[in-house]
Amino acid sequence: MDKHITERLRMNDLHTRIVSADEAASWIQDGMTLGLSGFTRAGDAKAVPTSLVERAKTETFKVNIFTGASLGFDLDKLMAEAGIINKRLPFQADPSMRKKINDGNLYFVDQHLSHTAELIRSEVLDPIDYAIIEAVAITEEGLIIPATSVGNSSIFIEKARNVIIELNLAQPAELEGLHDIYSLNEQGKRGPIMLTSVNERIGEIGIPVDPAKIKGIVITKSLDSSSTIVPPDEETAQMAAHLITFFREEVKAGRLTNELAPLQSGIGSVANAVLHGLIDSEFENLEVYSEVLQDAVFDLFDHGKIRFASACSITLSEEKMNEVYANLEKYRDKLILRPQEISNHPELIRRLGLLSINTALEADIYGNINSTHVSGTKMMNGIGGSGDFARNCRTAIFVTKSTAKNGTISSIVPFASHVDHTEHDVDILVTEQGYADLRGLAPRERALVIIHNCAHPMYKEQLLQYFEEASLRGGQTPHILEKAFSWHTRLADQGTMLEKQFSFSL
């Protein structure tokens, strides 16, 4: 047997279970539920799902797909277009799948990322027939060493009837030792999670498994898909500057030091760019406790700004992936990868006192945030982990550009068309125009701060007119219900949220 395989597959009894991806895919039948490894394009099962797509060319079947988050290699796109998905959860980020969801051609369950494992553990969700998990090794003791993400892999393996391992020889062997796999008991039967600092370890380096559950091992040789983030632009640089100003004010007030508090940053280009802005700041000796580590975190490492980072996955651009994985040893003592129910656990988020930075699609004048639905009805990606962090962190920060689609859409509206995070869970709102500190403010105070500090100038007068008219009607949170969503209906009818009397030249 190839020595590269024997070095990675160190439990000798499993050598006889090596099969092709096509053979493994043939075991999966119509109506089954699959638990796939993968979190934001990292550490995803690659070969068996691809074989399932090929099977769909000659056979009709549907399966439920549970993951950690979004998948790489266009797998969500390919599976959606092949018509093999009945139900998908808890997060996705693919345009083709998005269209299928919004057309009603597949069911999508949008979940807080910390909740999926609990629902599987309590047997609320359909039983998992096959867990299909990417690994970099299986130890002599039978521990499965995940690749570049942990996601929900540990709970999938624990609860699945059968397990298929994709042993990926292309993923760096040096990933072994980075993981900290900690499993929870059932609710009502568990004690505290004894994690009190970002760099602590409380679990094992791999996922335990009953070897009898491993039905097959597929050998693969593919690195992860690169991330789709784009470099910072002028607007995201301005947002980063406003956020740094806020941090400086917190230090000046004695609420933070120059080491800040552990940082969490959501997935995506805007959040990555805002975090990137810390490189040229005075803040140092930082810690990260997040669900995903993007390029900006490693840039901060390389500039000596971060001392330790804990997350659930590593998702990088192609250039940064090549650089990091070629030099993984220099980061090994500064990284931990955990299951997503630990990286996103409310108990730990509250205990560690995180500064959480997540992205909004839109915000209303009272601080309610829409993270998921365009115009209130069309799913974009999903809530992801933003709710886990916003409700429980020290300071919940949401970032968004003040306009979209060349100014035809205002990201600040009278009434959010869909609410994922209520005003009670939003502390700071940041756009390229400025930031609004909403802590301790009543609704009428929040409205004025958001309009003046965060709205684009072309929409400020229109927002103020709405608020002033609504205030005349009274109420703790003034609204004109018959006009509350007029901005969204105007966009649908006229292609812009801007009223004619408020014409503005960009």
Side-chain angles (χ1 to χ4, degrees):
M1 182 175 290
D2 187 322
K3 72 171 185 176
H4 295 103
I5 296 176
T6 56
E7 288 171 356
R8 303 284 191 109
L9 183 53
R10 302 196 294 271
M11 194 174 201
N12 293 332
D13 291 348
L14 296 178
H15 288 179
T16 59
R17 300 187 207 176
I18 295 176
V19 298
S20 69
D22 288 345
E23 181 176 349
S26 72
W27 302 332
I28 294 163
Q29 302 301 313
D30 182 51
M32 284 186 170
T33 295
L34 311 180
L36 305 185
S37 67
F39 192 103
T40 58
R41 303 170 69 86
D44 41 3
K46 302 169 175 64
V48 177
T50 300
S51 290
L52 284 174
V53 170
E54 285 298 309
R55 238 182 82 192
K57 294 177 180 178
T58 58
E59 184 180 340
T60 300
F61 63 94
K62 285 186 180 291
V63 292
N64 299 323
I65 300 290
F66 299 173
T67 66
S70 53
L71 301 176
F73 283 91
D74 287 333
L75 285 173
D76 276 330
K77 166 187 171 68
L78 294 172
M79 289 190 291
E81 291 179 350
I84 67 173
I85 300 179
N86 172 57
K87 183 177 291 183
R88 176 78 167 82
L89 63 83
F91 184 87
Q92 59 77 45
D94 177 76
S96 294
M97 178 168 281
R98 186 180 304 142
K99 186 175 189 309
K100 293 281 186 179
I101 291 167
N102 290 321
D103 288 345
N105 291 322
L106 66 86
Y107 296 114
F108 176 58
V109 182
D110 184 22
Q111 289 180 341
H112 296 297
L113 295 188
S114 69
H115 286 192
T116 306
E118 296 284 26
L119 293 170
I120 292 170
R121 183 176 292 112
S122 59
E123 300 181 353
V124 171
L125 299 178
D126 293 329
I128 296 173
D129 295 288
Y130 278 91
I132 308 174
I133 308 297
E134 180 172 273
V136 296
I138 302 178
T139 70
E140 296 86 347
E141 300 80 18
L143 290 177
I144 297 172
I145 308 300
T148 46
S149 72
V150 182
N152 281 317
S153 293
S154 52
I155 192 67
F156 290 161
I157 288 172
E158 179 184 340
K159 293 298 184 181
R161 293 165 174 158
N162 304 281
V163 176
I164 297 170
I165 302 298
E166 292 194 2
L167 188 63
N168 193 335
L169 305 183
Q171 293 278 34
E174 292 79 9
L175 288 167
E176 186 169 346
L178 286 187
H179 308 88
D180 187 51
I181 309 300
Y182 181 81
S183 297
L184 301 176
N185 292 326
E186 295 179 16
Q187 289 178 319
K189 299 180 181 179
R190 69 177 64 151
I193 303 172
M194 300 305 293
L195 185 68
T196 58
S197 64
V198 170
N199 62 341
E200 276 186 299
R201 289 181 170 274
I202 57 174
E204 301 186 72
I205 65 165
I207 303 170
V209 63
D210 177 359
K213 291 173 68 170
I214 299 178
K215 187 166 180 181
I217 297 171
V218 177
I219 307 300
T220 67
K221 294 182 180 180
S222 296
L223 288 175
D224 292 332
S225 297
S226 56
S227 74
T228 56
I229 60 173
V230 297
D233 59 21
E234 182 179 353
E235 290 177 323
T236 55
Q238 290 170 338
M239 292 158 70
H242 294 315
L243 184 59
I244 288 168
T245 298
F246 166 71
F247 287 154
R248 287 172 177 155
E249 290 299 314
E250 291 295 279
V251 172
K252 184 177 178 181
R255 290 186 285 267
L256 293 173
T257 70
N258 267 19
E259 296 184 358
L260 300 179
L263 294 163
Q264 177 265 326
S265 177
I267 189 69
S269 298
V270 173
N272 181 76
V274 169
L275 199 61
H276 195 273
L278 290 169
I279 288 174
D280 296 322
S281 75
E282 68 272 29
F283 303 109
E284 58 188 2
N285 210 24
L286 305 173
E287 292 182 322
V288 173
Y289 190 88
S290 194
E291 53 193 1
V292 60
L293 304 181
Q294 299 188 105
D295 286 23
V297 171
F298 288 91
D299 290 336
L300 287 162
F301 268 132
D302 294 340
H303 282 80
K305 290 289 188 176
I306 292 179
R307 67 169 179 257
F308 204 90
S310 167
C312 170
S313 79
I314 300 173
T315 301
L316 303 173
S317 66
E318 183 175 3
E319 180 181 358
K320 184 59 71 173
M321 187 189 304
N322 293 334
E323 178 186 327
V324 168
Y325 294 161
N327 299 280
L328 196 55
E329 282 297 326
K330 80 173 185 177
Y331 302 104
R332 276 179 56 85
D333 62 345
K334 302 174 183 178
L335 292 175
I336 287 179
L337 294 179
R338 311 182 192 274
Q340 71 192 64
E341 68 170 333
I342 301 300
S343 68
N344 292 40
H345 200 285
E347 175 188 343
L348 302 175
I349 293 166
R350 181 64 60 88
R351 178 181 297 141
L352 296 173
L354 305 188
L355 301 171
S356 291
I357 307 165
N358 288 285
T359 304
L361 285 179
E362 69 177 1
D364 69 29
I365 58 176
Y366 298 111
N368 298 294
I369 298 291
N370 173 12
S371 294
T372 59
H373 285 72
V374 176
S375 296
T377 62
K378 294 181 180 179
M379 172 58 63
M380 178 59 74
N381 298 330
I383 194 169
S386 56
D388 298 324
F389 291 99
R391 173 62 60 89
N392 301 290
C393 65
R394 175 196 303 256
T395 308
I397 302 163
F398 282 90
V399 297
T400 182
K401 295 183 179 183
S402 65
T403 63
K405 300 294 183 183
N406 298 316
T408 59
I409 296 174
S410 174
S411 300
I412 310 299
V413 295
F415 206 155
S417 58
H418 176 92
V419 176
D420 294 291
H421 311 281
T422 73
E423 58 191 279
H424 311 292
D425 298 332
V426 181
D427 296 315
I428 311 295
L429 181 61
V430 183
T431 72
E432 80 286 355
Q433 301 297 321
Y435 77 87
D437 186 345
L438 308 179
R439 296 171 297 178
L441 300 185
R444 292 177 188 237
E445 294 175 300
R446 287 198 297 269
L448 291 173
V449 171
I450 290 172
I451 293 170
H452 286 300
N453 292 7
C454 297
H456 192 282
M458 69 190 298
Y459 286 104
K460 278 186 180 180
E461 187 177 350
Q462 191 173 324
L463 285 164
L464 283 169
Q465 184 183 88
Y466 174 88
F467 173 65
E468 290 166 1
E469 184 180 348
S471 295
L472 294 175
R473 296 195 178 188
Q476 162 74 356
T477 306
H479 270 304
I480 311 166
L481 291 181
E482 64 272 24
K483 292 184 178 180
F485 295 119
S486 62
W487 291 44
H488 303 283
T489 56
R490 186 180 307 111
L491 176 65
D493 295 340
Q494 302 175 21
T496 180
M497 289 184 172
L498 192 66
E499 294 181 17
K500 290 181 180 179
Q501 66 265 36
F502 297 107
S503 59
F504 186 97
S505 298
L506 285 173

